[in-house]
Amino acid sequence: MLPVTATLIWILVALVAIGLYLSWTAGRLDRLHARIDATRAGLDAQLLRRASVAQELATSGVLDPAASIVLYEAAHAARQAEEEQREVAESELSQALRAVFAEPAQVEAVHEVPGGESAAHELTEAVRRVPMARRFHNDAVGAARRLRQHRKVRWFRLAGHAPFPMAFEMDDEPPAALVDRAA
């Protein structure tokens, strides 16, 4: 009778240990999903700020008319894009920014206009923060994806009904002339 009791106790201890480990893993996965939500909110805020500053600069009269139209349309499309088209619209805004600020002379012209110095500085800060915010978000997504690929997570369905995290892939290279001028 004694060996049967000892075996049952060891089985119970093993089940409790496995349960604690699975609970800890589920909690870790939940924290990663919360981190993804927070980093996505930060990324959205930086993208919105960049589009708003670009749109404001385009309507300020500081740029020439052709550059204003290109920049305004790209910024407006980025702000109005549906979630499925957001990455493409944001990439197009990055391309428009690089096209408008391809030459250092354009950046100098913006700086010489009254109010242009602060507008250019604000845009420079906005385009610098987008790649960092995107990197933070994609790092969090990568960590959650790696954990969700473990067998224990799949077998015990520790992710629950949370959607599989998706990285935000876009062209976020800032205009060299704008960033070089500020450095």
Side-chain angles (χ1 to χ4, degrees):
M1 184 105 137
L2 188 60
V4 172
T5 306
T7 303
L8 288 176
I9 289 174
W10 280 112
I11 290 172
L12 184 62
V13 167
L15 288 175
V16 168
I18 291 170
L20 287 173
Y21 178 70
L22 291 175
S23 174
W24 176 80
T25 302
R28 181 172 167 229
L29 190 58
D30 187 50
R31 287 188 301 276
L32 282 172
H33 282 124
R35 189 171 128 207
I36 288 170
D37 291 342
T39 58
R40 180 58 190 247
L43 175 61
D44 286 341
Q46 292 306 322
L47 291 171
L48 182 62
R49 180 171 182 248
R50 180 181 76 153
S52 297
V53 170
Q55 204 169 20
E56 186 178 309
L57 185 62
T59 59
S60 68
V62 172
L63 301 172
D64 63 87
S68 292
I69 290 171
V70 167
L71 193 57
Y72 180 83
E73 287 180 355
H76 181 71
R79 289 183 71 178
Q80 301 298 321
E82 296 293 324
E83 192 61 36
E84 301 82 35
Q85 299 298 317
R86 184 95 186 266
E87 294 172 351
V88 173
E90 294 294 345
S91 293
E92 288 173 354
L93 176 56
S94 294
Q95 293 166 2
L97 284 165
R98 283 196 307 273
V100 169
F101 295 105
E103 299 296 323
Q106 179 70 20
V107 178
E108 290 300 325
V110 169
H111 279 276
E112 291 171 1
V113 174
E117 182 89 29
S118 64
H121 176 71
E122 195 173 344
L123 182 62
T124 301
E125 290 302 311
V127 299
R128 281 184 174 173
R129 289 182 178 148
V130 167
M132 288 187 292
R134 189 176 75 86
R135 199 169 311 119
F136 291 148
H137 173 70
N138 288 349
D139 287 348
V141 166
R145 281 181 165 186
R146 285 188 296 278
L147 184 58
R148 285 182 71 153
Q149 289 174 348
H150 288 211
R151 271 189 232 125
K152 66 180 176 266
V153 173
R154 289 191 320 256
W155 287 352
F156 293 102
R157 299 181 185 184
L158 299 180
H161 297 289
F164 194 74
M166 300 302 290
F168 195 87
E169 297 300 332
M170 65 171 272
D171 174 8
D172 60 3
E173 184 181 337
L178 190 64
V179 175
D180 290 346
R181 168 82 160 75

